Structure formats: structure tokens, C-alpha cells
Amino acid sequence: MYEHDVLVVGAGGAGLRAAIAAHEAGADTAIVSKLHPVRSHTGAAEGGINAALQEGDDWELHAYDTMKGSDYLADAPAVETLAQDAPEDTMRLEHWGMPFSREEDGRVSQRPFGGLSYPRTTYAGAETGHHLLHTMYEQVVKRGIQVYDEWYVMNLATTDEEDPNDRQCEGIVAYDVQSGNVEGFKANQGVILATGGPGQAFDHTTNAVSCTGDGHAMAYRAGAPLEDMEFIQFHPTSLPSTGVLISEGVRGEGGILYNNDGERFMFEYGYANNSGELASRDVVARAELDEVAEGRGVEDEYVHLDMRHLGEDRILDRLENILHLAEDFEGVDGLVEPMPVKPGQHYAMGGIEVDENGQTCIDGLYAAGECACVSVHGGNRLGGNALPELIVFGKRAGAHAAGDDLGEPEIRTGYGDDVEDDDTELPVAPGASGLDSTDAVADGGVAAETGALEQAVERERARVERLMDKDSGVQHAEIRSKLQNAMTDYVNVFRNEEGIKKALKLIRECREEYQDVYVDDPSKTFNTDLQQTIETRNLIDVAETIALGALVRNEFRGAHWRQENQVRDDENWLKHTLVSWDDGEPSIFYRPVILEGEEKTYEPKVRSY
Ligand SMILES: Cc1cc2nc3c(=O)[nH]c(=O)nc-3n(C[C@H](O)[C@H](O)[C@H](O)COP(=O)(O)OP(=O)(O)OC[C@H]3O[C@@H](n4cnc5c(N)ncnc54)[C@H](O)[C@@H]3O)c2cc1C
């Protein structure tokens, strides 16, 4: 058994920042991560970090752009905190040595990004995330913060009170990838989940194979609701063959989108008459798919992104990485030809419901970064707003878990008297149906009595043993691929009731097939087959919450388009969707969005660009 004051699960931008803050607040802090920190997916971030740094810009404009970009589904207290803290937290990175790109006069450069009213995105070439990770990992090493890397966290250890709001998180259970041992980690003050996104729930994604929604699934099964899961961002410029991202920085620097007829369609067909290519991501992604549907796509699949006119010097200075990606993955030389791009799953706006201090409704359980929903992105995240979220709310979660007083949060969490229940009829009974066998026993993070951690460790050891002992059945890859295809086919950019119901049925089938899953690789060490089998179980839960949210939200807001109701319905839907795991099945409820900021209310307006 290992023991620390604060345990941070995940070593991406959010986890590293949380650990530094918890350590600075005096807590004995450790990071537990399935990857070495600098291999975390934050390293793939290309474009930059939004922060109002320059004269002429201010945090209020940043907050306004973010509320508008969210299609008025973000909570104003969180958005204002993000916009207010981002400048100082970004400059702290600079003081820690982050090599931001600079202007001739030495000032940190900032570029325009989609949906921003001011060029507010700071960057380090087109490798911002890579430098961010390395800068913060240096700080972690410098402070001597303990890192358990290549430890896969399987579940949380929480107490078992009937109401999740009364539960307490006592620690985590993790699998040592190098030895195959399953061990308990006790957290005296708090566990912070910083496990990143669930992109692997989809077939065509810009996310790494490690983005399997583990933290989402663990928190969900322990009783913390998942919020606004239907809001998935599809990035307009991913490479068609692999999903690898071509940064919005290309359009920020002046890159242009063309259809197969050589038309600059964002203007030609009036998708965004003011901002064109730099409209918000949901707007551009839908425009591209409309072009393909109208027969104006290249090879009936994608459109072209052209940056040749920017000139070799500028491209090499600011976008060199993009040249390598286009060459390596599509065999295209971006200096002499346009690059093929199409929308790909990119980001989850929703996540584990937390307040401004990163706390869930379960005492001692926190979440930060992409796995959390505070919520600053609402229905659509603006490019460049995820990285500041990592550093602002990672820092707050770490400090609060370590005992710092950050004030009373305005955002409420968990089921309470301010929520509204849902009564939608579901096409299939979702949830744990078919999971009454041994898997269900090992499934919940909730222990039966005191000694929650010891019991959780025993359950997870039994789960590994069972998966390893079984010598035939279905392999996880088969189930995962069925799940990913169901999500990409039916819960993509364009959605309708019939399709989402089909997806829910297929997800239910995956859940049932998972009862017969087995691990082929008998190795005790570095058994990726075992790890991916467990991850697939998490993906099933997360995919189901995405599809459930998409089904019940019968309106068009931000990234969530519904064929049956193609308008934003502020009268009925200015509310967050919450899905919580309630006694073996999902239950859905709603909480009103908070539009009142410190000094003003963000009245919903038509969102045009
Ligand atoms: C290609 C790409 C480019 C992007 N570019 C930008 C950009 O320019 N600007 C911007 O603002 N946003 C950008 N984003 C979004 C942003 O990069 C991510 O949202 C953000 O980096 C996520 O950080 P994180 O710390 O939450 O998670 P991650 O960086 O994904 O880290 C997750 C961590 O959790 C660990 N982990 C996960 N599960 C477990 C488990 N079960 N046990 C133990 N450890 C676990 C992993 O090992 C990892 O260390 C981009 C996203 C993508 C995909």
C-alpha cells in the first residue's frame, strides 16, 4: 500500500499543474500515470494558449468570446475565472522557461484563432503542448514530486453511502504495468483525476490511443455525474487517412479552405461571411461536410487547406511541424500543394461535473483538464481555450485538494434540489444489463463497508485474475471497433433520433459482448492486451453517456446538431445534461446554466461569425 496526501491521476498538462500547486500548498503529492509524463496527449497540442496579454485586449473580451463560443451553455463563474487567471498563469509558464514564439521586439507572439475577437493565442511554434509538458515536468522534477509512471489506475476506492454526495474518496487502485501487480494508493486529502479525453470512443479522431476516458468512467461508476457529454468537438482540419490534426494555427496564420471547384466556400456559400475560415470550429466542420454532401468535396470525402501563399519563410518559422505531418501522413508537401482535411473527433466539452475548485460531489474526489466539466466550454470549445483550462483549473484543483481556501464555489455539483429529472423513453435499457456476472462485482468503485481501499484492491485483483484466467471468448479489439464505428456512424457531426437510438442499441450489444471478453496475452509484464481490455470497458460507459445526452437534447446548440430540431431552444435547453450511474444504470437530470457573471449577465444572442 502506498500513501500520500494528494494523488494526481494523470501527468498531462492538467495533472502536472495540479501536482505543482498541491506541492506548493504543502501537501505530500504524487502523480500516478499510465504514460511517462512527457508522452501525455497534451504533447500533441499544436496551436496555442488563449490569454488576454496585450494592450487592447482584456479578460472581459476573452470571457465574452468564450460564452458566445459555448453557445451560452458555459457557466459564467468558471468562464470569468478562466479569463481572469489565464494571463498570470500563462506568464508563469514563461517564467518557468517555456519557449514562447516572439515578435522582433521580444514580446510573446499572439495569433488569431477561431471565434476570438482579438489575436489572443500565445504559442510555441506549432508544438505548444510539447513545450508546455516539458516545462511543467521540469518543475515537477525540480520539486521532487513523486511520479509513478506506467501505473494504470483501474478504479477509485470510495465509501458506499446511498447518496453519492455523502461518499468519500479514500484512494485509488492501480496496476503496475512493469510488474503486473495491483496495489492500493491511499490519499489522505484528495484524489485528482486528470486523465484527459475519451476520443477513442470514435473511429476517426485526432486523439491518441491513450485517450480512453478512464477517469470519466471511474468517477461515473463511483457516483459523480458526467456533464454535457453530448457535446463533442469535431475539428475541421484532421488528415483524412489517420485523423492526425492540422492545427487551427494554419488558418490563424491565413490558411484558406477550398472545395473541389476551387471555391473559398466559407464565403462563397455564406457559411461565415465575417470570419470565414476562422469561424468557430463547429461552424467550419459542418460547412465542410455540407460541401461534400453537395458534391463539391474532393474525392467525395474532404476539402483542401492551402497555406502556400503564406510563403516558405513564414511557414518554416511558425508552422514547420505542419509540413512534417502532411508529408509523413498524407505524402503531401504543404509548401507546393494544398493539404487534404476533413472533420475528426477532437475534444470532449463535457466531462466529470466539478465546481470552480475542481471538486466533484464526492468528498475528496477532484477532476481537472479535459476529463472535467467545470464548465468553460459549454456547447463548443474555442480553439486555444483547453490549454489555459489545464493550467488555471489544474492549479485550483491542486491547491484546494491540498487545503488552500479558494472561497465558496458558485457552481453546484451532484443531485440536489436545483435539478430537474428527465423522463425520456430510452430505446434499450442502458447501463449494467448483462453485467450481473463477475464483471459487475469488480465493476463499481464503491466498496461495501469501511476499508474501502482494501476492498477495492481485492476486487481489482480478482478482476485481473478473471480476465487472465479465461482462455477463450471475444477480444477487446472487436468490441472496441464496433463501438467506435457506432459512434462515428450515428453520433457524429450530424445527428438524428433514429441514428442515436441505433448507436445506443449497438453500445448495449458491446456491453453484453464484453461479458465474454478475454485476454489473449498471458504475460504479467507490459500486457497491453489486458490494459486495453479494461480501457474498452471504460469506453463503453463513456460512449453510452455521450449517446444518451445526444438523444435527450432535442435542440441544435454548439457542436450538437439535431436534424429534428435545427434551432437553439433557449426556452427549454439553457441547462446542463447530467448522467449519473445510479444503482447499475444511468439516470439523467438537468441543472440550469449560470449566465450571471461578476458584473454582467451574458444574455444569449444569435451566434454568427
Ligand atoms: C492534436 C490536438 C491538438 C490540440 N491543440 C490544442 C491547442 O493548440 N490549444 C488548446 O487549447 N487545446 C488543444 N487541444 C486540446 C488539449 O490539448 C487537450 O484537451 C489537453 O491537452 C488535455 O490535457 P489533459 O491534461 O486533460 O490530458 P492529457 O494530456 O491527455 O493527459 C492525460 C494523462 O492521464 C493519464 N491517464 C489516463 N488514464 C489513466 C489511467 N487509467 N491511469 C493512469 N493514468 C492515466 C495519461 O497517462 C496522461 O498522463 C488539442 C488536442 C489535440 C488532440
Side-chain angles (χ1 to χ4, degrees), residues 217 220-221 428-437 439-440 443 474 479-480 482-483 503-517 536-546 548 579 581 584-586:
Y220 176 55
R221 291 197 298 262
V428 285
S433 169
L435 283 175
D436 54 354
S437 64
D439 192 65
D443 205 37
V474 193
I479 303 173
R480 189 183 283 210
K482 178 171 175 170
L483 184 82
L504 277 167
K505 284 194 179 126
L506 289 164
I507 294 167
R508 165 71 172 272
E509 281 172 31
C510 291
R511 205 180 264 293
E512 279 164 8
E513 283 158 23
Y514 193 86
Q515 291 307 292
D516 194 30
V517 79
T536 299
R537 176 72 182 80
N538 293 334
L539 284 171
I540 294 173
D541 283 343
V542 174
E544 188 169 81
T545 62
I546 297 170
L548 283 172
V579 186
W581 185 257
E585 58 179 45

Side-chain angles (χ1 to χ4, degrees), residues 8-17 31-50 111 113 121-123 126 128-129 132-133 136 148 150-155 172-175 193-197 205-208 210-215 218 233 235 243-249 281 325 345-348 368-372 377 381-390 531 534-535 538:
V8 181
V9 182
L16 295 177
R17 191 63 190 88
I31 297 172
V32 187
S33 174
K34 66 182 179 183
L35 301 174
H36 184 274
V38 299
R39 297 191 63 219
S40 299
H41 195 54
T42 294
E46 298 167 6
I49 308 175
N50 294 341
R111 56 166 61 126
F113 243 47
T121 309
T122 58
Y123 56 96
T128 309
L132 178 88
L133 271 186
M136 287 207 284
Y148 300 88
E150 296 191 325
W151 279 81
Y152 178 78
V153 177
M154 301 176 68
N155 235 331
I172 57 175
V173 185
Y175 167 85
L193 293 170
T195 47
T205 175
T206 63
N207 285 197
S210 57
C211 298
T212 50
D214 296 340
M218 288 189 274
Q233 180 162 84
H235 197 292
V244 165
L245 181 80
I246 295 299
S247 169
E248 188 161 309
R281 287 178 178 175
L325 295 175
Q345 190 284 344
H346 182 60
Y347 185 84
E370 191 172 338
C371 72
H377 309 302
R381 172 177 75 89
L382 292 183
N385 258 357
L387 297 182
E389 181 191 6
L390 306 184
Q531 187 178 317
I534 298 169
E535 288 170 345
N538 293 334

